[in-house]
Amino acid sequence: MFTFCVLVTLGLISFGHILSFMALIGIVIYIDRTKLKMYSNVFINEKLWIEFTFFLFVIVFLMNVYLIKTKGFLLFQDNVGAAKQDFYQGAGIFKRINQVALPLISLSSFYYWYDNKKIKSTLYILFSMFLLLTLGSKAALIELLFIFGVYSRFKKISINYAKLMPIMIVLFFSSLFAFFLIFGDTFLADFAYRIIAFSDGPVYYYYGELSQYINYPILYMFDQFFVGLRIFSDLHFSSLGPLINSLYFNYEDALVGPNPQIFVEADVLAKNFYFFYYIIIGFIFIFLRKCMATPFSFLLMNLFITPLFVDVQFAFSNLFSLIILLFIFIFYFLVKKIFLFGYEN
């Protein structure tokens, strides 16, 4: 919404895009107020999620012990930012598993806390903080506040916002500390840039009239997903963020670039049919959110649907990570069934 206001204020976005985005907001509000049948409990209830998360915690803990042994502990490195980039070098599968395990482990910590299992809850929270650091989350512990919000929404916990404010202040400073660890002496400038420059991608794209230089098919959104599945051996398209940097600033770096966001991706991928792109993304977003009946499934689904508004390639890359998690869950479920069958006999 902030980017939308910036684009409208600067007069960079067309009237058609304005109407399309407003239609998207209308779809989201309408479906959000519509009661939908919940399906998730049929497959995985909260008890099974918590049991699986413990199994996942053990696997992820052993994985990260191995990474620490081979790569070193991040906080002890002279250059944390560089060490963070190197931490998952040659171990991409570990990064994907850490990424999907983080919300489950963090969420389980709140279950344990309210079940008076304080030690186990604290252990899970500390490990979640470590995962946040290795994954390079500049939001730091603020992400835990979102996860608690999801827990409180589903468990209908009343929140005392007066007591919550000091926690939010601590979490804000944890984000500053994360920037300090990653960027060193320039952390304040990088922190300010991160906040101010979120809408850079669409502004550069429209102001520089870059649409005439970019012609991508809809296959672009699945590029990273197909590489993950080994359908493609290499990426077929440059990501829009770095490509915007290249075209606008003549700056070449495949790992650095602004978020393209839905405004750019609708224009590039759908061309004159961008209206339908907005509507489809909005419908997928709110429908899948409402179909999730547990906080665990809700958080995991958000790994896919939330990036649809920011970077669709990243969304489908996360979908590949969720598929990996699905296979781990199937393995856990089969092992559990075999163990119970053997025990009963």
Side-chain angles (χ1 to χ4, degrees), residues 278-335:
Y278 282 98
I279 299 303
I280 292 171
I281 293 297
F283 183 83
I284 291 173
F285 174 78
I286 196 64
F287 182 81
L288 290 180
R289 278 171 64 102
K290 288 183 70 67
C291 283
M292 299 299 106
T294 70
F296 291 95
S297 55
F298 182 86
L299 280 174
L300 290 177
M301 185 55 65
N302 269 276
L303 289 177
F304 169 63
I305 60 176
T306 301
L308 289 175
F309 288 96
V310 181
D311 187 341
V312 71
Q313 271 199 336
F314 182 60
F316 280 93
S317 177
N318 284 354
L319 181 61
F320 177 67
S321 301
L322 292 173
I323 292 174
I324 294 174
L325 182 69
L326 175 62
F327 279 104
I328 297 175
F329 179 83
I330 292 173
F331 173 76
Y332 164 77
F333 186 77
L334 291 176
V335 169

Side-chain angles (χ1 to χ4, degrees), residues 51 60 67 69 105 141-142 178 185 282 322 345:
E51 292 173 356
V60 174
L67 285 174
K69 184 177 179 181
I105 293 172
L141 304 184
I142 293 176
D185 294 339
L322 292 173
N345 287 273

Side-chain angles (χ1 to χ4, degrees), residues 128-194:
S128 298
M129 292 166 62
F130 169 76
L131 292 180
L132 283 168
L133 177 63
T134 64
L135 291 169
S137 173
K138 300 177 184 66
L141 304 184
I142 293 176
E143 189 167 334
L144 298 179
L145 187 64
F146 167 73
I147 294 173
F148 175 72
V150 172
Y151 174 80
S152 63
R153 173 179 179 266
F154 277 85
K155 308 306 286 187
K156 294 180 171 57
I157 297 174
S158 58
I159 299 175
N160 187 325
Y161 290 97
K163 293 182 179 179
L164 188 62
M165 186 57 65
I167 298 176
M168 294 177 65
I169 293 173
V170 171
L171 295 179
F172 170 76
F173 280 104
S174 76
S175 183
L176 283 178
F177 181 66
F179 269 83
F180 175 74
L181 287 176
I182 296 171
F183 296 107
D185 294 339
T186 63
F187 79 99
L188 279 177
D190 287 290
F191 181 78
Y193 175 77
R194 181 78 175 185

Side-chain angles (χ1 to χ4, degrees), residues 203-210 243-251:
V203 170
Y204 299 153
Y205 175 82
Y206 286 108
Y207 186 79
E209 299 180 348
L210 302 183
L243 182 60
I244 289 172
N245 264 357
S246 175
L247 293 173
Y248 195 84
F249 295 107
N250 197 28
Y251 176 73

